[in-house]
Amino acid sequence: MSGFSLSRKNDLVFPSTVTVEGNTFEIAPDFRNILKVMRIVRDPVIIPSQVPEIVGRLLFGETAPDDPMAALALFISLERKPTDDSRLQRDEASGVAFCYEHDAEEIYASFLKEYDIDLMDGSFLHWFKFRILLSNLSEDTPFRKKLHWRGLDLSEYTGQKNYAAVYAAKEAAQLPETLSGEEQAERDAFEALWGDIGS
């Protein structure tokens, strides 16, 4: 991540503000808030024109910028490497696509196992910190194991007795693919801001 350095001040590595056209806005950077925004953007019940106002209230409170979605995108960009121009949201270690919602159980169990962090206990966890910890989970965590099965090359098992079992395990780990026309339009809008998270 471009902004991470052990020699920098904490508020620079894990910022709680974003500056838009010379104006600085306080943002609520807890990982739950960012994940809520992801759900809001993709929620078919919410009218798209209402999304910016909802996101503005959730992340910026009373003093939201004129374009809260653009401000959020700018905030998120502070985390990314300058050379990373990929629109795909993929696991940094394996390159396999994942979904925060679909893979929530494995992410939760992995944080508990690896870091003794209960993501449901309500403690503040900065989005950037959450992403760092997620991308550095070890191979024996539930999340990483699921991604292993999801990205497994079945050609290595062709002709082997356990092919059927391996195939079934890989299928069980896959992200859902069936999308309606409306869902696809929502996904396209979502990916314009977040990148492809695979579901």
Side-chain angles (χ1 to χ4, degrees):
M1 297 188 183
S2 62
F4 189 80
S5 170
L6 295 175
S7 66
R8 301 182 75 197
K9 289 184 177 180
N10 187 64
D11 61 342
L12 295 177
V13 177
F14 302 118
S16 58
T17 62
V18 60
T19 301
V20 181
E21 296 180 353
N23 298 311
T24 300
F25 298 90
E26 292 282 339
I27 189 171
D30 185 72
F31 81 99
R32 295 169 193 82
N33 293 332
I34 307 299
L35 293 180
K36 283 178 188 174
V37 168
M38 290 184 179
R39 292 187 70 177
I40 289 167
V41 169
R42 301 179 69 188
D43 191 334
V45 176
I46 298 175
I47 301 171
S49 61
Q50 295 177 334
V51 170
E53 181 184 352
I54 296 171
V55 171
R57 286 200 313 265
L58 176 64
L59 294 181
F60 299 99
E62 299 279 326
T63 56
D66 293 336
D67 188 347
M69 298 304 288
L72 175 58
L74 179 59
F75 176 77
I76 295 297
S77 75
L78 299 176
E79 171 197 21
R80 296 186 179 145
K81 299 172 184 175
T83 56
D84 183 12
D85 59 357
S86 171
R87 293 184 64 248
L88 297 178
Q89 175 61 53
R90 296 182 178 275
D91 171 57
E92 293 180 20
S94 66
V96 177
F98 69 94
C99 172
Y100 290 109
E101 290 295 318
H102 187 73
D103 299 320
E105 287 187 17
E106 290 79 13
I107 291 172
Y108 174 79
S110 297
F111 270 66
L112 203 56
K113 172 184 172 65
E114 186 94 337
Y115 307 121
D116 197 26
I117 294 176
D118 185 338
L119 294 175
M120 298 299 289
D121 72 358
S123 299
F124 173 81
L125 182 62
H126 195 287
W127 172 250
F128 293 0
K129 189 177 293 186
F130 169 78
R131 292 280 296 139
I132 289 171
L133 294 175
L134 181 66
S135 66
N136 285 283
L137 288 168
S138 62
E139 295 302 318
D140 66 342
T141 56
F143 176 67
R144 200 63 73 202
K145 287 178 180 177
K146 188 175 188 181
L147 294 189
H148 165 76
W149 285 110
R150 186 173 294 163
L152 190 68
D153 182 0
L154 288 174
S155 66
E156 299 175 12
Y157 295 86
T158 303
Q160 295 186 20
K161 291 181 179 180
N162 65 340
Y163 180 84
V166 172
Y167 178 85
K170 178 179 174 67
E171 285 299 298
Q174 296 309 303
L175 292 164
E177 287 297 329
T178 306
L179 296 174
S180 68
E182 183 177 326
E183 288 172 331
Q184 184 62 54
E186 290 161 5
R187 175 176 178 167
D188 292 343
F190 177 83
E191 290 174 0
L193 176 62
W194 298 99
D196 181 6
I197 65 168
S199 74

